[in-house]
Amino acid sequence: MAAWWVLPAAYALDRLLGDPRWLPHPVIGMGKAIAVVEALLRRLCRPRHYRVAGLLLPLTVVGGSFALTWAVLYLLAQVSPWLSAAAEAIVIWTTIASKGLRDAGMEVCAQLRKGDLPAARRSLGMIVGRDTSHLDEPEIARGAVETVAENIVDAIVSPLFFALLGGAPLAIAYRAVNTLDSMVGYKNDKYIDLGWASARLDDVANYIPARITALLLFLGAWMMRLDVKGAVRAVRRDAPKHPSPNSGYPEAAVAGALGIQLGGENSYHGVVSFRAHMGEKTRELRGEDIPHAVGLMFFAANVAVLLGTLITVWVNGGWHWI
């Protein structure tokens, strides 16, 4: 395992700096690599072979991301173990997005506080795929809360989980899995065969972190004096109804803790889609539900980092700096 300070340093960098534009982000490189590999597979394979070819996407992109990161860190370690550890903290930092998630949600909240619904709709439209031009305040708030809740897993707990298991190389590999799913993991005519393995791998990768996240959110609800019983009840009853095997856990936990109902009808390019309800509708959603969701997100992140640090110390046999 890496030195005990690597994980908290990576998280601290994210909390302070987020994703600065001056820092080249690995996801950009992953996106370009995915596009190149996809184009190559489509050129070399016939459509009837796309399902088999779909296995090559995660093998090349995820495997390549892991191998490249490991090789760079290994070479840096030959120069200085401190240099390698610092680089590992920086790489793990790029896999976390707590500040970006907080900023996106609170931007929507700020516009709602001003009563500027058009601006709130535009801000929400930057972070969701659904149509936002017609939404009222409860629906805008729902979109922001759902985005914050769902991404607690993808943007925070999963990267930290894999960083704990395998350092920066495995954290980067997870981010490659997540990027693949966002680019090719769709059940449409274009990607139903070529993207199936990427989508399935993302489900597998997030399976344990999603359930850990629900436990962290239960603890957060208790510490923040929210409805912890409602959170547990919502997860047990509603999480399995979500179309994703993982996203329902954080969404249902947040909904139950806040006493709100997430899910319902969304419009995508004029086509209405229904997503199963998470939680019970005890009241209408409002803008101030967004900072409460953000608070739960940060609680889960803080505890995850603390537990990861303590596990690292225990496995390494002490507070070793290198």
Side-chain angles (χ1 to χ4, degrees):
M1 279 190 171
W4 69 267
W5 55 270
V6 169
L7 210 61
Y11 179 59
L13 285 170
D14 178 68
R15 286 290 299 265
L16 290 172
L17 301 175
D19 294 323
R21 295 184 179 181
W22 51 264
L23 181 69
H25 203 285
V27 170
I28 297 175
M30 292 173 189
K32 292 179 180 179
I34 291 167
V36 169
V37 175
E38 179 190 347
L40 184 62
L41 290 175
R42 290 188 184 278
R43 187 160 57 246
L44 296 178
C45 302
R46 295 181 179 180
R48 67 172 180 268
H49 297 143
Y50 280 175
R51 193 163 183 83
V52 175
L55 292 168
L56 295 177
L57 265 173
L59 283 174
T60 54
V61 177
V62 178
S65 298
F66 179 92
L68 179 60
T69 305
W70 183 90
V72 170
L73 293 175
Y74 176 80
L75 292 174
L76 290 175
Q78 307 314 302
V79 178
S80 168
W82 284 97
L83 183 60
S84 179
E88 187 157 24
I90 291 172
V91 171
I92 295 173
W93 162 30
T94 66
T95 68
I96 307 169
S98 63
K99 183 178 185 297
L101 192 55
R102 179 262 178 202
D103 290 348
M106 292 307 296
E107 174 64 23
V108 176
C109 181
Q111 302 300 340
L112 289 176
R113 284 170 174 170
K114 296 177 185 176
D116 192 343
L117 289 185
R121 291 169 185 143
R122 289 192 296 270
S123 295
L124 180 63
M126 298 294 291
I127 57 175
V128 299
R130 70 193 67 172
D131 301 329
T132 62
S133 59
H134 65 289
L135 300 182
D136 57 12
E137 178 175 349
E139 285 297 296
I140 295 171
R142 175 169 74 88
V145 171
E146 286 175 350
T147 299
V148 171
E150 180 178 359
N151 283 284
I152 297 173
V153 177
D154 292 357
I156 302 171
V157 176
S158 283
L160 292 171
F161 176 78
F162 287 103
L164 177 65
L165 292 181
L170 200 57
I172 280 290
Y174 167 75
R175 184 53 63 204
V177 169
N178 194 242
T179 306
L180 269 169
D181 181 61
S182 67
M183 291 183 65
V184 305
Y186 299 103
K187 295 180 180 179
N188 54 28
D189 292 340
K190 184 176 181 179
Y191 289 116
I192 187 67
D193 290 324
L194 197 59
W196 74 271
S198 299
R200 187 67 57 82
L201 183 58
D202 185 75
D203 290 341
V204 172
N206 286 312
Y207 187 88
I208 294 175
R211 286 144 183 85
I212 292 174
T213 300
L215 296 176
L216 295 175
L217 291 171
F218 296 159
L219 181 60
W222 179 67
M223 292 294 292
M224 295 170 64
R225 296 187 178 182
L226 299 172
D227 188 356
V228 62
K229 290 183 179 179
V232 173
R233 184 168 59 250
V235 166
R236 293 180 62 182
R237 183 190 62 225
D238 301 330
K241 302 176 186 176
H242 199 283
S244 164
N246 302 312
S247 297
Y249 285 84
E251 285 192 28
V254 169
L258 299 183
I260 58 176
Q261 188 175 74
L262 302 177
E265 290 188 351
N266 300 320
S267 175
Y268 299 92
H269 306 291
V271 179
V272 176
S273 174
F274 178 81
R275 177 175 289 184
H277 288 126
M278 303 283 119
E280 300 173 6
K281 187 176 182 180
T282 62
R283 58 176 176 80
E284 289 286 348
L285 280 99
R286 52 181 183 266
E288 291 308 311
D289 288 316
I290 301 172
H292 286 117
V294 169
L296 283 167
M297 175 199 74
F298 277 135
F299 181 92
N302 293 341
V303 175
V305 172
L306 176 61
L307 291 176
T309 303
L310 294 176
I311 291 171
T312 302
V313 171
W314 177 66
V315 172
N316 288 343
W319 298 83
H320 302 297
W321 288 88
I322 288 294

